[in-house]
């Protein structure tokens, strides 16, 4: 029996920004529930929800103050339970974002830990008499002094996010209890945040400095010995519950590191940042990473396919803002080998937002970048530019439902700025337009459901020629050829030796029919998907 997630498409919902259901300007469970029919019609199979637990939101929910409570901004436990029930009734699975690495400093565990060196919770966190040179991934020192106890605690991220001490068995048991709580509430698995950070080197040696990159080399504070044993224990525990799914955020673009965390007795998949976080559009680099991932992963592991998330710029903006290109990227993500993750709003082509005022910025990473620049005597303009570069607010603006007040997201002003360009790009405008981005996504997602090879098939080949990526995916039932011409020139391809007969065009981003003959002309910036009878000879 095939695991359900292997042929599923996931959709990431950034909790405060998807849909406000109670009129307070913040997205919530009631709002998401009201849009489940939209998500069902879109064609997704699973939802990934960013953290919804009680939190002071220094890092917008990734600083958890109570793992077993719903933050009031997002509703009540009854709202959550109703949402889970309604999603499952529509055949939509739900995975919850879970932060096992650190808690908010407001969490009662940390408040007890900070109260005394002799408190039993003291060893639940990482304390030192003197700091080493480790830097926070948000900037500045990773150590914060506590005057009351005359020691420093470790925080890999913001100082309000204190790292748990996973060398302590009590910590591990407490977090297993958290996972059990939510699994019994009905979640279908977890997205595990910064999961390769669970262990640090207990020698606490200084990290070396990479002078070429002008940054610290985080040699001793992530991917440490023992972390894979913890991963194995987590996977064993979660997979005791039937049909559960684990995806890990491993903070690396190194395939050799990513490979270690998934597969048999480990996480089901990890996010392939080697593909997803490519900074500027480069079809050759995208192909290279697809090819290398296939070589490293095949035959036992499955990659993930994504190009946007709450932590990065939206790929339509990052890759130049061209809608034709964005459609090709969507086609790649939804037809290449891997488990795809769509970021909310990408299906309508939502763009990035750039803050023109530091007072409008919400993201702690951007705000810290601004402060560090000001402390270095940089001008406000340079500091704001640095803040916008680091800030993750750019991709976190409200979902654009219509062109009415607050883009249909809320009846009141939302928690974050709505970009001025947002009103032109929305669901309502695209629903009935067969040429829209939304319609294209729907067609792609429908194809994934109808054609098994797009979800489960192996590559017969994977090729790249002068800006045109093309591949055949094949299972025991069918063979499908995907052609993605990322170049600005038309290309010709002989498809006769790939298919025996009865060639059918399943989808094109630029036409409605296929010309007759063995040679197909692929237009500039066109995506085309063809199906035919299986023939053993590879394409020439």
């Amino acid at each position: 029996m095939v695991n359900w997630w292997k042929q599923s498409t996931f959709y990431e919902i950034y909790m405060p920004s998807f849909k406000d259901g109670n009129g307070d300007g913040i997205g919530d469970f009631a709002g998401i529930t009201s849009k489940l029919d939209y998500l069902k019609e879109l064609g997704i199979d699973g939802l990934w929800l960013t953290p919804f637990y009680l939190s002071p939101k220094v890092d917008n929910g990734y600083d958890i103050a109570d793992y077993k409570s719903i933050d009031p901004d997002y509703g009540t436990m009854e709202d959550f339970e109703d949402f889970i029930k309604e999603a499952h009734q529509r055949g939509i699975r739900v995975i919850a974002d879970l932060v096992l690495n650190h808690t908010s400093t407001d969490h009662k565990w940390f408040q007890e830990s900070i109260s005394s060196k002799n408190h039993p919770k003291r060893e639940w966190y990482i304390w030192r008499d003197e700091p080493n040179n480790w830097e926070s991934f948000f900037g500045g020192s990773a150590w914060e002094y506590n005057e009351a106890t005359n020691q420093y605690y470790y925080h890999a991220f913001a100082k309000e996010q204190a790292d748990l001490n996973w060398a302590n068995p009590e910590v591990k048991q407490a977090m297993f209890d958290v996972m059990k709580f939510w699994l019994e509430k009905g979640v279908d698995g977890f997205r595990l945040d910064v999961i390769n950070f669970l262990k640090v080197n207990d020698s606490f040696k200084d990290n070396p400095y990479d002078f070429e990159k002008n940054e610290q080399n985080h040699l001793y504070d992530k991917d440490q010995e023992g972390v894979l044993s913890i991963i194995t224990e987590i996977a064993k525990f979660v997979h005791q519950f039937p049909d559960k799914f684990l995806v890990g955020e491993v903070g690396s673009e190194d395939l050799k590191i990513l490979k270690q965390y998934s597969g048999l007795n480990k996480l089901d998949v990890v996010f392939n940042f080697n593909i997803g976080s490519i900074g500027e559009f480069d079809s050759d680099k995208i192909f290279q990473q697809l090819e290398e991932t296939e070589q490293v992963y095949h035959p036992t592991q499955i990659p993930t396919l994504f190009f946007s998330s709450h932590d990065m710029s939206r790929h339509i903006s990052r890759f130049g803002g061209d809608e034709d290109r964005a459609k090709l990227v969507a086609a790649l993500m939804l037809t290449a080998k891997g488990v795809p993750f769509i970021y909310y709003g990408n299906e309508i082509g939502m763009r990035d937002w750039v803050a023109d005022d530091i007072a409008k910025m919400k993201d702690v990473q951007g705000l810290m970048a601004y402060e560090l620049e000001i402390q270095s005597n940089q001008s406000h303009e340079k500091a704001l530019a640095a803040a916008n570069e680091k800030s993750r607010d750019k991709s976190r603006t409200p979902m654009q439902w219509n062109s009415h007040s607050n883009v249909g997201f809320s009846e009141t002003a939302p928690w974050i700025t709505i970009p001025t360009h947002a009103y032109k790009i929305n669901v309502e405008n695209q629903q009935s337009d067969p040429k829209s981005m939304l319609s294209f996504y729907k067609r792609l997602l429908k194809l994934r459901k109808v054609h098994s090879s797009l979800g489960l098939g192996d590559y017969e080949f994977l090729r790249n020629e002068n800006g045109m990526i093309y591949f055949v995916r094949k299972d025991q039932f069918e063979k499908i050829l995907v052609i993605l011409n990322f170049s600005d020139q038309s290309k010709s391809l002989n498809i006769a030796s790939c298919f025996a007969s009865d060639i059918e065009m399943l989808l094109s981003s630029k036409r409605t029919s296929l010309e007759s003959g063995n040679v197909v002309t692929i237009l500039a910036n066109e995506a085309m998907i063809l199906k035919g009878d299986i023939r053993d000879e590879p394409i020439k």
Side-chain angles (χ1 to χ4, degrees), residues 116-324:
S116 166
K117 288 183 178 181
N118 299 319
H119 195 282
K121 289 289 194 300
R122 186 69 170 185
E123 298 306 315
W124 282 43
Y125 295 85
I126 299 170
W127 292 91
R128 299 279 291 166
D129 290 330
E130 296 291 337
N132 57 19
N133 78 335
W134 292 358
E135 293 178 355
S136 160
F137 287 82
F138 285 172
S141 174
W143 298 92
E144 185 71 11
Y145 181 63
N146 173 239
E147 188 173 347
T149 58
N150 193 31
Q151 279 192 318
Y152 295 80
Y153 68 86
Y154 176 64
H155 57 92
F157 300 95
K159 69 180 187 299
E160 296 86 358
Q161 295 169 291
D163 276 49
L164 287 161
N165 177 18
W166 272 80
N168 187 332
E170 293 179 359
V171 169
K172 181 172 67 177
Q173 185 57 54
M175 300 313 277
F176 278 30
D177 288 344
V178 167
M179 288 186 279
K180 181 174 183 286
F181 177 84
W182 291 107
L183 289 167
E184 290 179 344
K185 283 287 183 183
V187 302
D188 298 288
F190 299 106
R191 179 265 190 187
L192 299 177
D193 187 59
V194 293
I195 197 63
N196 57 323
F197 287 70
L198 292 191
K199 295 279 285 184
V200 296
N201 192 296
D202 57 14
S203 71
F204 293 98
K205 295 179 181 177
D206 280 355
N207 279 327
Y209 195 82
D210 188 328
F211 288 97
E212 286 188 9
K213 295 182 178 178
N214 195 31
E215 63 183 26
Q216 187 171 106
N217 179 7
H218 291 273
L219 186 62
Y220 298 115
D221 51 1
K222 66 173 186 173
D223 299 307
Q224 296 301 298
E225 183 179 352
V227 71
L228 292 177
S229 296
I230 295 174
I231 297 293
T232 300
E233 289 185 67
I234 291 171
K236 182 179 179 181
F237 178 78
V238 170
H239 287 140
Q240 291 179 96
F241 296 78
D243 294 328
K244 302 306 179 187
F245 172 60
L246 286 173
V247 53
E249 181 198 27
V250 176
S252 177
E253 296 178 19
D254 187 332
L255 265 173
K256 293 178 181 178
I257 292 175
L258 295 173
K259 178 181 170 66
Q260 296 175 21
Y261 286 87
S262 69
L264 186 64
N265 300 321
K266 297 178 185 174
L267 304 175
D268 295 307
V269 295
V270 299
F271 287 116
N272 283 91
F273 290 105
N274 62 305
I275 302 170
S277 62
I278 291 173
E280 296 179 355
F281 180 74
D282 184 335
S283 62
D284 290 337
K285 187 172 183 179
I286 291 172
F287 174 79
Q288 177 193 9
Q289 291 303 320
L290 287 172
E291 188 175 47
E292 288 183 12
T293 301
E294 173 66 4
Q295 291 170 355
V296 171
Y297 274 34
H298 186 76
T300 58
Q301 289 163 274
I302 299 175
T304 54
L305 294 163
F306 70 98
F307 289 93
S308 301
S309 77
H310 67 280
D311 279 336
M312 65 175 69
S313 171
R314 291 184 180 273
H315 68 260
I316 192 170
S317 294
R318 202 166 79 240
F319 289 170
D322 183 81
E323 289 207 2
D324 285 342

Side-chain angles (χ1 to χ4, degrees), residues 338-509:
V339 179
F341 284 78
I342 299 169
Y343 187 48
Y344 84 96
N346 277 3
E347 75 273 21
I348 58 171
M350 281 177 61
R351 268 68 166 180
D352 283 352
W353 167 63
V354 178
D356 59 4
D357 183 347
I358 193 64
K360 296 178 182 178
M361 194 168 285
K362 305 293 184 181
D363 179 34
V364 61
Q365 190 166 307
L367 293 170
M368 288 185 70
Y370 180 86
E371 186 59 34
L372 288 171
E373 292 294 310
I374 292 297
Q375 290 175 8
S376 300
N377 296 317
Q378 296 295 329
S379 67
H380 164 73
E381 289 76 18
K382 286 187 176 180
L384 182 60
N388 271 307
E389 182 180 348
K390 290 287 188 180
S391 175
R392 298 163 296 176
D393 287 341
K394 58 176 69 76
S395 62
R396 297 177 175 184
T397 54
M399 179 65 178
Q400 294 154 205
W401 295 104
N402 56 46
S403 57
H404 304 152
S405 176
N406 302 312
V407 292
F409 165 76
S410 177
E411 296 173 358
T412 190
W415 70 278
I416 193 171
T417 299
I418 296 174
T420 53
H421 56 69
Y423 291 88
K424 296 179 181 178
I425 303 170
N426 60 71
V427 172
E428 187 176 75
N429 285 351
Q430 296 188 23
Q431 283 279 31
S432 58
D433 180 359
K435 296 182 179 180
S436 70
M437 186 77 72
L438 180 59
S439 295
F440 189 70
Y441 266 86
K442 287 181 180 179
R443 291 163 64 198
L444 281 167
L445 287 162
K446 186 175 181 180
L447 284 181
R448 275 187 65 86
K449 291 182 183 299
V450 172
H451 297 283
S452 58
S453 62
L454 292 179
L456 300 172
D458 275 325
Y459 289 124
E460 182 174 273
F461 65 79
L462 174 63
R463 293 184 184 167
N464 178 36
E465 292 180 8
N466 300 317
M468 185 168 72
I469 296 174
Y470 60 103
F471 52 87
V472 163
R473 295 195 66 192
K474 175 182 175 182
D475 64 10
Q476 59 182 319
F477 304 108
E478 63 183 3
K479 179 188 288 190
I480 289 181
L481 171 64
V482 178
I483 312 167
L484 306 168
N485 185 5
F486 286 102
S487 79
D488 57 5
Q489 296 178 341
S490 296
K491 308 280 185 181
S492 296
L493 193 65
N494 188 333
I495 62 173
S497 59
C498 181
F499 299 127
S501 61
D502 299 326
I503 298 168
E504 177 187 359
M505 189 179 77
L506 300 177
L507 177 145
S508 166
S509 60

